[in-house]
Every structure is written in C-alpha cells, then in structure tokens.
C-alpha cells in the first residue's frame, strides 16, 4: 500500500440491495440476505487484515419491522445462526463485536447469541465491529436523552454538565466519528443510519447490490476516500 494512502478510521456500511439482488436472479428476497452473509464474512476479514479500526454495519433498522413477518423471522434466524456459527472466526481474528440498537422487541434467541459473541470477543483489540440491529438514529436520540435525564433525576448530573462530550458518551456505543459511509445498491439516503455520528463523514454510493460488494469493490471505495478533500468547516487547499 502507498505510504500516503489513508484508511478511514471508522467506516459505516449500509448493506442495501439484498432483495433486488435475489429478484434479478429469479430467487426469493431472503436468498439475497443469505448471500449477503458470505459477502460480509469476506469483508470483515479484509477490513481486519488491512487495518480498519472501526466498522459500523447496518443490518436491520427499527423500520425494517414493517416488513412481512416471514422476512423478519428469516432475518432473525439468520442473525442468530451467524453470531453462533458463521462469525465465530472473528474470535480468532482479534475482532471485537459490539451492537447498537434497541433490544426490544428482538427475540430472546437473537439477544442471547448477540450477548454471547460480545462476551467472547470483549478482550480483542483489532477491528471493532459495531453491528446495528434494530437500530435507528431517532430511537438512539430518544434513548440517549432518557439515559441523560435519568442521571439528572438521580442527582448524578446537573443540566449545566450536558455538553457534546456527554452526549457522545451516552450514545449506544462511544465510538469515534464516522469518516466514510458506504451505501450499496445506488440509493442515495441514510435511512436513519447514525445521523449524529456521520456529521462530517464522506459518502459513497456504489451501484452494486450488497451481495456483490466484494473486497475489490471495498478497495475501490477506499481509493475514492483518498480523493476526498475534508475540511471540517475550516479552510484547506
Ligand atoms: C438490505 O437489503 C437488508 C436489510 C434491510 C435487512 P434489502 O432487503 O433492503 O434489499 P432491497 O433494498 O429491497 O433490494
Ligand atoms: C436500510 O435499508 C437498512 C439496512 C440496510 C439495514 P432499507 O432498505 O430498509 O431502506 P429504505 O427503506 O430503502 O430507505
Ligand atoms: Mg433496501
């Protein structure tokens, strides 16, 4: 790798387009989700190998519960299986898994599998994988506000002490800001993904559906990141 090549410290991936990927192949939508797991495994290995420090993956939004029950049930089983089996390689690769999102109303079996992988990887110190399940920025804002208000109510905190640092510390996870957000499938929106954390992120919208978002596609995205001129409100040539 070129010595001047910069990797984003924190990458967000909105893994979109699984349903359309399957439909184009004459398959049912859920086959797209299944195929996405294979893509995701390769991506995780790659991100850990090249030295990405933080990756946030949008797997299921608070709004995705609006989908047909059969698709939601399929996804919940897929999450459970993935955390129990498919992603066990993360333990050996020194990846730490954390989750963002509301636990309610996720099924107990999914929560157990989530808790298990968090526990098993908690001492790892390579890539931090923040998996967003039943996640929404609006819900996070509500939950963060409640957490802070409860501390004020208990007398642990005064209103004057509420500042940006405190809000950051009370988000679902206290991670560095997003540098680069990738949304596959060509849609140009955030769909409630990490709005607070993405305030100065660069955005990239490849046309490919997530199951086709290969390691080569990821490297293309990293290349694109290196062509961005980030200013953070200041002035830079
Ligand atoms: C993303 O793919 C996966 C989830 C939202 C769970 P979609 O299921 O949204 O696929 P499209 O966008 O309908 O093609
Ligand atoms: C966003 O995709 C959520 C995930 C990728 C998990 P959606 O497919 O749910 O978003 P919309 O409905 O097209 O905005
Ligand atoms: Mg979609």
């Amino acid at each position: 790798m070129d010595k001047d090549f910069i990797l984003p410290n924190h990458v967000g991936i909105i893994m979109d387009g699984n349903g359309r990927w399957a439909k184009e192949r004459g398959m049912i939508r859920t086959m797209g989700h299944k195929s996405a797991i294979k893509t995701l495994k390769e991506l995780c290995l790659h991100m850990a190998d090249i030295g990405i420090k933080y990756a946030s993956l949008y797997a299921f939004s608070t709004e995705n519960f609006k989908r047909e029950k059969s698709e939601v049930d399929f996804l919940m089983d897929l999450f459970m299986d993935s955390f129990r089996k498919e992603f066990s390689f993360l333990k050996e690769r020194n990846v730490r898994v954390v989750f963002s999102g509301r636990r309610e109303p996720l099924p107990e079996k999914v929560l157990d599998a989530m808790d298990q992988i968090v526990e098993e990887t908690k001492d790892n110190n390579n890539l931090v994988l923040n998996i967003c399940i039943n996640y929404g920025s609006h819900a996070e804002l509500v939950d963060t506000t409640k957490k802070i208000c409860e501390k004020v109510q208990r007398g642990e905190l005064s209103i004057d002490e509420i500042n940006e640092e405190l809000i950051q510390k009370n988000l679902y996870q206290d991670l560095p800001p997003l540098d680069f957000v990738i949304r596959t499938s060509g849609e140009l929106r955030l769909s409630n993904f990490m709005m607070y954390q993405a305030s100065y992120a660069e955005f990239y919208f490849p046309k490919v559906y997530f199951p086709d978002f290969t390691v080569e596609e990821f490297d293309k995205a990293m290349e694109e990141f290196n062509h961005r001129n980030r200013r953070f409100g200041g002035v830079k040539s």
Side-chain angles (χ1 to χ4, degrees):
M1 214 183 279
D2 185 328
K3 71 171 171 39
D4 295 326
F5 197 83
I6 302 166
L7 283 174
N9 184 47
H10 188 176
V11 182
I13 309 181
I14 304 176
M15 307 183 289
D16 197 18
N18 300 348
R20 281 165 283 169
W21 181 90
K23 196 172 170 218
E24 278 188 7
R25 284 161 183 75
M27 298 190 275
I28 50 167
R29 293 178 53 81
T30 48
M31 290 303 104
H33 300 316
K34 213 170 157 188
S35 180
I37 296 292
K38 189 172 165 282
T39 304
L40 187 55
K41 279 169 80 172
E42 282 160 15
L43 266 186
C44 290
L45 282 175
H46 186 59
M47 289 192 292
D49 283 348
I50 65 173
I52 298 280
K53 295 279 175 251
Y54 299 89
S56 289
L57 306 170
Y58 206 8
F60 193 88
S61 72
T62 44
E63 290 73 29
N64 287 150
F65 274 111
K66 290 179 195 162
R67 296 186 180 195
E68 295 232 355
K69 188 177 180 300
S70 58
E71 183 173 347
V72 172
D73 288 349
F74 182 92
L75 281 165
M76 293 301 147
D77 284 343
L78 190 66
F79 293 148
M80 184 187 64
D81 278 355
S82 302
F83 304 142
R84 289 243 164 89
K85 300 190 240 94
E86 299 269 354
F87 285 88
S88 53
F89 72 92
L90 296 174
K91 292 174 221 164
E92 287 79 51
R93 300 303 287 252
N94 210 10
V95 174
R96 182 156 78 93
V97 179
V98 297
F99 288 94
S100 289
R102 269 192 189 153
R103 289 175 75 89
E104 270 284 305
L106 292 174
E108 209 56 50
K109 60 185 181 184
V110 176
L111 291 170
D112 286 348
M114 286 163 61
D115 292 344
Q116 196 182 331
I117 197 161
V118 167
E119 178 61 26
E120 285 169 350
T121 63
K122 72 176 188 320
D123 297 322
N124 288 351
N125 59 7
N126 191 6
L127 167 69
V128 174
L129 209 57
N130 172 39
I131 307 178
C132 302
I133 291 188
N134 193 21
Y135 175 87
S137 287
H138 289 189
E140 182 170 36
L141 186 61
V142 171
D143 294 347
T144 299
T145 306
K146 279 187 182 163
K147 246 196 270 176
I148 293 172
C149 287
E150 278 160 13
K151 287 179 192 173
V152 172
Q153 209 169 35
R154 288 197 298 265
E156 293 166 17
L157 195 71
S158 81
I159 289 178
D160 293 341
E161 287 172 290
I162 300 175
N163 56 22
E164 291 184 21
E165 199 188 331
L166 185 96
I167 291 175
Q168 167 67 33
K169 288 210 169 349
N170 284 280
L171 295 170
Y172 289 136
Q173 296 292 339
D174 182 10
L175 302 176
L178 281 165
D179 297 294
F180 198 52
V181 173
I182 302 167
R183 181 175 185 145
T184 58
S185 91
E187 304 295 352
L188 309 178
R189 54 180 174 267
L190 271 179
S191 302
N192 212 2
F193 178 64
M194 298 184 92
M195 284 157 50
Y196 185 85
Q197 297 86 339
S199 57
Y200 268 104
E202 296 292 325
F203 290 87
Y204 179 66
F205 300 104
K207 290 267 187 309
V208 290
Y209 298 135
F210 185 73
D212 290 332
F213 191 68
T214 54
V215 164
E216 290 71 35
E217 287 289 337
F218 184 86
D219 287 346
K220 264 201 259 172
M222 294 301 103
E223 197 66 53
E224 173 61 28
F225 179 73
N226 276 265
H227 292 115
R228 302 292 174 93
N229 182 4
R230 304 181 78 194
R231 286 189 287 271
F232 300 98
V235 183
K236 204 169 139 195
S237 58

